[in-house]
Each structure stands twice: as C-alpha cells, then as structure tokens.
Amino acid sequence: MSEHILIAGAGIAGLGAALAFGGDKYRVTVVDRDPPPPDASPEEAFHTWDRRGATQLRHSHAFLGRLTTLIRKRYPDLMKELLDSGARIFDYRDALPPTLHDAYVPAAGDDDMAFLFSRRTTLELVMRRYAARLPGVEFINNVGVHGLIARHEKPMLVVEGLQVERDGRTEEMRAVSIVDATGRNTMFPDWLRAEACEIAEEESPAGILYFTRHYRLRDGEDEPPRDGTPAAGDLGYIKFGVFVADNRHFSITLAIPEIETELRKSVMKPEIFEEICTSIRGAARWTERAEPASQIFAMGNLKSVWRRYLKGGEPQVLNFFAIGDAALRTNPLYGRGCSAGVVHAHILREVFDASSNPRTRAILFERDTEKALRPYYDIMVKQDLLAIRRAEHERDPNYRPRMKARIAKSFIEDGIVPATRGDLHVSRALSRSFHMLDQPTAWMKEPDVMARIMRMWSMPARTKRARGFYPPEFGLERGELLARLGLS
C-alpha cells in the first residue's frame, strides 16, 4: 500500500509538496481551510478567489530562477500551462542593463537565472489544477485543522493524524506522515509544545510594513524599455519594487520602516501612494502607462523566524514535518519565500526517498534544510538589521557615519553596484546567488570576481558615470518627499 501523507495547507508550500509527492509512490491528501479555486480565468481568480489563509496572496511576488528552473525541468507540462495562462519567462539576458548587452555571450547556467512573471493568484490557480490531476493526489477544501492526533513513545511524540472540522462536524484524519504547510500563522508549534515538545525558535525583526497595489497596462501601452533604470531600490526611508506579472499586469510594493509613522499611516490613501510612485523614477515610468487594478493591500507583523524540531540532534516528534513559512519565515521584501517553500517541499521528498525510518527522516530533513536554506536566512536577517539602522539614521540630521561605515557604503555603491552593470562575469556571479542557485556569499569566495569588483571600485567615479555604470538616482530625499506629501 502507498504511504499516506496528509498535508495541511494548500498555499505555495503545500502545492509544492503535492507536486513533489504526487505520482504512484505516495497517497497524498491536502486539506485547506479555504474554498477551492474558482472555475475561472486568472483575471477573475485574482478578484474573486477567497484565500483567508494566505494573507499575502495579493501582494507582490518574485518567482526566482531556483523555482522557475525546478518547474521547467521537473514539470514541463505545468510550465506550459502557466505560459498558456499568461505567465512569462524573463531570462537572464532580458534582465541585463544596456551597458552589458553588447558584451553578452551565452554561458552554461544562464537559462537557470530566469524569473517567472506571474501574479501569485495565477501561479496558485494553475499549480492547483495541475497538482489535482496527479495520480494519488486529493484536495479537500473548507477543512479547519484544530489539533494533532499523537501518542507518546518516550522520549518522542509520534504524530498519527489531525483533528479537523468539516461541514460543522469534528473528525479525525489519520496518515503515516503529517506535513505542516499552513504558513506563517501556523498553530502546530503551540500544539507540539502542549505535548511537551521543545520547539526552538529564532526571531528577528524585518522593521518594515508592506504596501502593494496592482496595475494593468492601458490598451496600446507597452512596458517601459529596459534602459537600466532600476525597478527596485532602497532610499533609506522607503524601499520600492516593481513586480511584473501575467497578462499585462504588474504591481508596486512600497516598504516603509516601522519608525516612519506618518508616512506609513498616510500611504494607504490612493493619492499618497500614487504621489510616492510618481516621485520614484523606477516606479513612475510604469504607473504612467497603466491604470490601478486593485486597492492598496497592507501587510504587517513581518519578521524572520527559524524553527528547530530536533533537540540535541535527536528528534522530539516523529512523522511530522514543517515546510515553507511554517518552518522558516523571511522578510518578503527579498522575494525568496515562494521559491524556498517549493524547494523545501522537494527536500522533504528526497528525504522520504532516502529512508523509510521516521527517526532518520527527521534528522535528515533538519540537516538538509539547514544546509540548503539557512545561509539565505542568515544573510536576509543581517540585511534587515542593517536596513533598520539605516532608517534610524535617515531621521537623524546630526548622524555622521564612521569611517568603517563610509568604506562599506562606498564598496557597495562605487564597487559592487557599478561592477554588476559593467562586468558580465560579476553580474553572473551575483545573479546566481540572487536566484538561489549558489550560496548567497559564494561570489565573495571567487578571487576573480572580487578582483574585478576591486578594479571597478578603484576606477574614477567620473569614468564610471560616463560609461553608465552608476544607476540613476532613485528618487527624492526624505525631507523633500515628506514636504511634497504635506507631512512633517
């Protein structure tokens, strides 16, 4: 008999698990609190699909090369269905600034550095329909999960199923293995602690709130030319990003530090949101061609979280596995959550294929998760803490950075950034890390890459500026924007 796997949650991580385990070797049941997807087009689904369990569903998403490559290579039929539904592949060459177009020569691995441009609703809709057709996969909707079914076998807890509510009735659903894909608001750690499991958690603040609005290009309008103007950036007191999607849609997200109280309270007003976009060159060149296609969505309580289920290297709980945001959360600003969730699900499948022993599975899963995803978590936490400090400094007119901070700032702004716009080898190395194909700091360990960055850093600024190696200014200084918006 096929091993039965019960997955709680049908978001991106849960769908990734359905893909990973679907087929003829495992029996998969996915339960979800929300209604099933509508029998509708991607456009209709964006406006009508009720997904209370996925609060970030209608925020901006970046689907990185790691995820795009996984789908393209393992699930070519799924990729075709995504493209047929209006999603697009945006490859590495497309993303190059004009300063590197003439220097570009295709190289092995370039195809893996491709974005998938899609709204999350479109991606989930198509993934869900595809996964539901896989042998052995069943989706059950409108099911609330209220607890675990487990027994104690000292010194471990053995999970055997879930307590659920369906059609107003409480019932038990049992399986060999339980997968928690319920996302960032998961209740499973609390349920496990109630059974005397010590679930260790690390937390780190993101320091921002997120505000997103979707747009659609007006009829007769094309996307702005890829002229090297950054579509994302950090002005210190505000971050912005343009996220291209499917079917002539895109979204803009403004990330505002928590300490910018007046600004974050005002940005929910459409006129304020639009005025901010108009003041940022990389956003204005998109909004001037488009009409708003949604309200403004806000998202708070953003923090990074890493959970561990082993204690002293030994499992505390057997036959239970947390994936995606239920296991590790990061600031959505970096766009790695969905890619990490699907990758995490496939790590779990590899562990299952490697061993049928519950203890071995628990140990391997935590080890392989740490190896594959922890480096990205650590660097994102570090970047958040730096950004929080920068936001504080933006508000202090008397702040003067110390020598070490000035050197670090110059190395980034006068070395790394120009090198990514003027040196194809450096661009490739950093892009591979960005797309989660290489470890996030792998490029720092390549002598040739670092030598090229150092040469760029030593080049006179006027030469770099003349060659277009510096990006255009993002937008207004903090005081200028606040005055423009009528805020103190």
Side-chain angles (χ1 to χ4, degrees):
M1 179 181 292
S2 298
E3 181 175 346
H4 186 198
I5 299 171
L6 181 57
I7 301 168
I12 291 292
L15 292 173
L19 291 179
F21 286 96
D24 56 5
K25 187 173 180 180
Y26 298 96
R27 176 187 164 209
V28 179
T29 302
V30 185
V31 296
D32 192 73
R33 61 176 284 187
D34 293 329
D39 184 15
S41 68
E43 187 65 22
E44 293 170 310
F46 176 79
H47 294 286
T48 65
W49 193 2
D50 182 9
R51 294 284 279 115
R52 292 172 299 139
T55 55
Q56 66 272 45
L57 181 72
R58 290 177 175 85
H59 279 276
S60 299
H61 282 78
F63 304 117
L64 304 179
R66 181 75 178 268
L67 176 59
T68 307
T69 301
L70 187 152
I71 295 174
R72 175 172 56 84
K73 291 183 176 180
R74 298 196 186 197
Y75 310 102
D77 291 342
L78 170 58
M79 179 60 78
K80 181 179 184 304
E81 290 179 26
L82 285 165
L83 298 179
D84 289 345
S85 296
R88 293 163 47 199
I89 296 293
F90 187 74
D91 64 27
Y92 172 64
R93 189 182 190 285
D94 293 333
L96 289 176
T99 48
L100 288 177
H101 281 176
D102 292 343
Y104 178 73
V105 176
D110 282 2
D111 289 346
D112 296 336
M113 294 185 287
F115 289 98
L116 179 67
F117 282 168
S118 174
R119 288 169 288 185
R120 176 165 166 175
T121 49
T122 302
L123 179 65
E124 282 203 24
L125 181 73
V126 178
M127 284 180 70
R128 170 70 177 266
R129 290 171 176 171
Y130 177 88
R133 298 195 305 269
L134 293 175
V137 176
E138 177 187 18
F139 285 85
I140 305 177
N141 283 88
N142 299 307
V143 174
V145 179
H146 295 298
L148 290 165
I149 303 169
R151 70 179 191 277
H152 287 273
E153 285 188 3
K154 295 293 184 180
M156 290 175 286
L157 182 73
V158 180
V159 176
E160 298 179 323
L162 300 175
Q163 298 172 356
V164 304
E165 182 178 326
R166 178 164 41 161
D167 299 327
R169 300 189 306 273
T170 300
E171 60 182 86
E172 294 183 349
M173 300 183 72
R174 293 180 178 268
V176 175
S177 296
I178 307 301
V179 176
D180 176 14
T182 57
R184 68 189 195 125
N185 295 318
T186 178
M187 293 298 297
F188 281 86
D190 290 339
W191 295 333
L192 290 169
R193 291 186 184 108
E195 297 288 348
C197 294
E198 297 181 27
I199 311 303
E201 282 190 12
E202 299 175 46
E203 286 191 6
S204 186
I208 59 169
L209 286 86
Y210 224 53
F211 302 90
T212 296
R213 195 173 203 185
H214 290 258
Y215 298 81
R216 188 181 188 281
L217 292 168
R218 290 191 293 269
D219 291 343
E221 291 281 5
D222 294 322
E223 294 177 357
R226 310 285 173 175
D227 63 358
T229 301
D234 184 356
L235 287 80
Y237 67 95
I238 193 170
K239 301 177 179 67
F240 78 97
V242 179
F243 297 79
V244 188
D246 57 283
N247 296 296
R248 295 176 60 78
H249 284 266
F250 66 91
S251 62
I252 292 179
T253 288
L254 303 176
I256 300 178
E258 292 175 343
I259 59 175
E260 291 288 355
T261 306
E262 287 189 89
L263 188 57
R264 62 181 173 82
K265 286 182 177 179
S266 302
V267 75
M268 286 296 291
K269 299 175 182 178
E271 64 273 18
I272 296 292
F273 191 97
E274 297 303 318
E275 187 65 25
I276 293 173
C277 291
T278 299
S279 75
I280 299 173
R281 180 175 177 180
R285 60 202 303 270
W286 285 85
T287 57
E288 66 188 11
R289 302 162 180 260
E291 299 291 343
S294 78
Q295 65 187 71
I296 298 167
F297 301 102
M299 187 174 178
N301 189 30
L302 301 178
K303 57 184 176 181
S304 295
V305 178
W306 186 281
R307 296 187 176 95
R308 287 187 170 87
Y309 292 85
L310 302 188
K311 180 182 178 182
E314 284 296 321
Q316 301 180 83
V317 56
L318 299 181
N319 302 331
F320 172 84
F321 307 90
I323 62 172
D325 281 0
L328 57 111
R329 285 170 53 186
T330 55
N331 186 341
L333 178 69
Y334 304 112
R336 286 174 170 153
C338 288
S339 299
V342 177
V343 167
H344 205 191
H346 285 76
I347 291 172
L348 182 60
R349 169 62 195 261
E350 292 169 1
V351 166
F352 270 55
D353 288 347
S355 176
S356 60
N357 182 281
R359 176 183 173 275
T360 302
R361 284 177 171 178
I363 294 172
L364 289 178
F365 184 55
E366 188 143 318
R367 182 201 68 184
D368 292 353
T369 297
E370 186 92 14
K371 181 179 178 181
L373 299 176
R374 183 70 195 202
Y376 300 102
Y377 177 88
D378 287 341
I379 199 164
M380 287 185 279
V381 165
K382 182 178 179 180
Q383 289 169 341
D384 281 339
L385 295 176
L386 290 172
I388 290 170
R389 286 202 292 271
R390 182 181 175 189
E392 293 170 348
H393 296 156
E394 286 285 334
R395 296 170 59 86
D396 181 3
N398 298 315
Y399 171 70
R400 296 294 182 271
R402 295 180 179 179
M403 177 64 71
K404 183 178 178 180
R406 294 201 301 271
I407 292 173
K409 183 173 185 287
S410 174
F411 182 64
I412 294 170
E413 296 181 356
D414 302 311
I416 295 174
V417 172
T420 62
R421 296 170 63 88
D423 189 304
L424 188 61
H425 187 70
V426 174
S427 170
R428 272 200 181 95
L430 270 74
S431 292
R432 287 191 60 82
S433 293
F434 175 79
H435 282 283
M436 298 180 68
L437 301 169
D438 291 342
Q439 294 293 308
T441 58
W443 57 274
M444 297 182 184
K445 300 172 185 176
E446 295 185 29
D448 186 38
V449 171
M450 292 304 295
R452 290 166 182 260
I453 292 173
M454 295 299 291
R455 283 198 294 271
M456 183 65 75
W457 192 20
S458 66
M459 184 183 295
R462 63 180 179 277
T463 303
K464 288 181 279 197
R465 192 166 288 109
R467 295 183 181 180
F469 295 163
Y470 283 117
E473 293 293 328
F474 290 137
L476 302 176
E477 296 290 333
R478 178 179 180 274
E480 294 176 297
L481 179 65
L482 295 182
R484 182 167 170 172
L485 298 176
L487 304 175
S488 60

